Amino acid sequence: MNSAVGFPELLPGFRWYDIEVDDIRIRTAVGGTGSPLLLLHGHPQMHLTWHKIAPILAKRFTVVATDLRGYGDSAKPDGGSEHINYSKRAMAADQVGVMKALGFDRFRVIGHDRGGRVAHRLALDAPQSVEKLVVIDIAPTATMYARTDMEFARRYFWWFFLIQPYPLPEKLIGADPDFFLENHIAGQVKIQGSVDPRVMAEYRRCYADPAMRHAACEDYRAAAGIDLVHDAEDDDRRIEAPLLALWGARGTVGALYDVVETWREKATNVQGHAIDCGHSPQEEAPEEMLRIIAAFL
């Protein structure tokens, strides 16, 4: 575990490390004291997406915010056969390894977007590690693909664009990465001005790396392939940890799915709440999000 340069102006009191897990380097920010709480970001963000809530959570918890493999300043390995290296199983194993390196065998998890899908797999593959689970603005991956219709495809076109064979999406996004990134975020965030310009600059910096853009595509390719195989193999299993599902009342997931019911098909103990925002409540409505999760955590 090596110290790394971080963003103390955005996450005051936190420390940054590069933690090696089976030769995969995971950039990790750690702050606070108390019971461990793991925060997992989504696409196209990195760990700074939590900057509005992580310092507050750190008053009660030891907060661990990572960059998923392929994202931010974490390692970006080759995708491997069937994109196996970006399966949610592989990405979840990274996070278990990070927490063990920090001395935590059991912890709470909050996952947004892709991070929520990693958290779902983590709770199935390492149930002994997950005390409680919060998933933000997602329905289960297999459910969303199985129920795809014109409305979902129109709203979430990147689910079908990013999975196209290499190098088509990489080449097209590479023509103007800032344009793709900024339009993607603007389309999902419904409260204007929610994304701090300093954080957006870091999103742009990371997305400027062709290796990250390729890794993001590999993440989605895995979700449309090997992840569905793993999900089918575990179709009769349920998440054992208490699960809280949150979603944006102005977003796509809440509009197209009964979010709580989709998770009751996957977990034994589920509750849920809508938040008056779009896709990213941790940036759009941090106070309301913190209020809702406080009692659950």
Side-chain angles (χ1 to χ4, degrees), residues 51 54 64 85 91 102-103 114 120 135 156 198 206-208 218 225 245 251-253 269 296:
H51 76 104
V64 180
N85 291 330
M91 297 171 85
L102 293 169
R114 312 310 292 176
H120 179 187
V135 293
Y156 267 32
R198 298 169 296 174
C206 295
Y207 220 69
E218 290 292 281
T252 292
V253 172
N269 181 351
F296 177 78

Side-chain angles (χ1 to χ4, degrees), residues 1-2 15-31 36-41 47 62-69 73-75 89-109 118 122 126 129:
M1 182 165 64
N2 299 315
R15 306 169 303 282
W16 281 261
Y17 305 97
D18 284 327
I19 299 178
E20 296 280 340
V21 180
D22 294 331
D23 297 323
I24 299 296
R25 185 190 74 257
I26 301 296
R27 179 61 55 87
T28 305
V30 183
L37 172 63
L38 175 63
L39 307 182
L40 303 176
H41 68 86
H47 74 274
T62 299
V63 174
V64 180
T66 63
D67 289 344
L68 297 171
R69 72 160 63 187
D73 291 305
S74 287
R89 174 162 286 160
M91 297 171 85
D94 292 340
Q95 304 305 317
V96 173
V98 165
M99 297 304 278
K100 286 184 176 179
L102 293 169
F104 304 126
D105 292 321
R106 188 166 171 81
F107 45 89
R108 299 168 176 85
V109 187
V118 173
L122 196 163
S129 296

Side-chain angles (χ1 to χ4, degrees), residues 37 108-112 116 119-120 123 130-139 239-247 259-260 262-264 267-275 281 288-297:
L37 172 63
R108 299 168 176 85
V109 187
I110 301 177
H112 172 240
H120 179 187
V130 179
E131 184 174 348
K132 292 184 178 181
L133 172 62
V134 181
V135 293
I136 302 174
D137 212 57
I138 62 169
I239 295 170
E240 299 169 7
L243 185 150
L244 172 64
L246 304 177
W247 64 94
V259 181
V260 171
T262 68
W263 285 106
R264 284 181 175 151
T268 60
N269 181 351
V270 180
Q271 56 184 284
H273 298 275
I275 296 177
E288 186 177 359
M289 178 177 168
L290 284 166
R291 179 182 61 78
I292 291 172
I293 67 175
F296 177 78
L297 291 178

Side-chain angles (χ1 to χ4, degrees), residues 182-233:
E182 292 169 11
N183 275 266
H184 183 85
I185 291 175
Q188 292 196 293
V189 170
K190 303 303 181 183
I191 299 178
Q192 283 192 335
S194 296
V195 182
D196 188 299
R198 298 169 296 174
V199 174
M200 180 62 81
E202 290 304 315
Y203 295 164
R204 284 195 297 266
R205 175 184 66 82
C206 295
Y207 220 69
D209 182 356
M212 178 177 158
R213 300 195 299 270
H214 175 57
C217 292
E218 290 292 281
D219 172 13
Y220 279 85
R221 289 169 181 140
I226 190 65
D227 288 344
L228 296 179
V229 173
H230 293 158
D231 286 347
E233 291 171 349

